[in-house]
């Protein structure tokens, strides 16, 4: 192998290794970025907690914003979830709406279920994942 082809091979290896860095957490666990939208009957659900539970390892969690969008966090500094199959739980317990002074006013609102176990497991890939839920 001449010097030029050896240099090209090393360069290709560095590019490959560099592309894999984003797929692992600092502890070496493979994670994939996970985002999505939670809706109820097509309407965005804000202030919901979305939790992905892998078959093995730590869960990932995210909160929906006013448009129902969530981003999962594996750790405080690592976005995503462990690559593989997950059970999903979506729970609601957000802050009171404007004008609601006490729990009784809040209880009178019509809310979706406060704790939903998604009926089917979801697959997280090592790349970016968009996983939406309509409750």
């Amino acid at each position: 192998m001449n010097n030029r082809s050896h240099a090209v091979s090393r360069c290709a290896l560095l590019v490959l290794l560099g592309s894999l860095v984003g797929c692992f957490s600092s502890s070496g666990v493979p994670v994939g970025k996970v985002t999505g939208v939670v809706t109820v009957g097509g309407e965005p659900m804000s202030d919901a907690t979305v939790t992905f539970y892998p078959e093995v390892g730590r869960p990932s969690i995210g909160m929906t914003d006013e448009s129902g969008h969530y981003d999962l966090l594996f750790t405080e500094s690592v976005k995503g979830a462990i690559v593989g199959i997950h059970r999903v739980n979506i729970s609601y317990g957000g802050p009171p709406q404007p004008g609601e002074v006490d729990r009784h006013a809040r209880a009178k609102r019509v809310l979706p279920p406060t704790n939903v176990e998604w009926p089917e497991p979801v697959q997280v890939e090592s790349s970016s994942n968009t996983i939406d839920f309509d409750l």
Side-chain angles (χ1 to χ4, degrees):
M1 184 180 266
N2 64 33
N3 285 341
R4 180 176 165 89
S5 62
H6 188 45
V8 169
S9 295
R10 277 190 286 164
C11 183
L13 179 62
L14 288 174
V15 169
L16 176 64
L17 290 174
S19 68
L20 292 175
V21 169
C23 300
F24 291 88
S25 70
S26 59
S27 63
V29 176
V31 296
K33 183 177 180 187
V34 180
T35 64
V37 176
V38 177
T39 56
V40 178
E43 294 297 317
M45 180 181 209
S46 63
D47 301 314
T49 302
V50 180
T51 309
F52 278 47
Y53 295 95
E55 293 176 319
V56 176
R58 84 171 356 166
S60 294
I61 191 167
M63 288 287 292
T64 60
D65 61 17
E66 59 278 345
S67 64
H69 181 264
Y70 72 92
D71 286 303
L72 287 185
L73 289 175
F74 179 65
T75 66
E76 189 174 310
S77 61
V78 177
K79 289 186 176 185
I82 292 176
V83 172
I85 297 174
H86 294 256
R87 288 182 305 106
V88 178
N89 178 274
I90 301 168
S91 60
Y92 180 83
Q97 296 296 313
E100 291 182 348
V101 201
D102 61 24
R103 288 182 3 186
H104 299 294
R106 185 174 181 182
K108 290 179 187 175
R109 279 194 294 146
V110 177
L111 294 175
T114 57
N115 193 28
V116 175
E117 291 290 332
W118 194 249
E120 301 167 1
V122 297
Q123 176 72 36
V124 172
E125 304 291 339
S126 60
S127 59
S128 291
N129 300 265
T130 301
I131 304 174
D132 298 332
F133 300 97
D134 187 30
L135 307 179

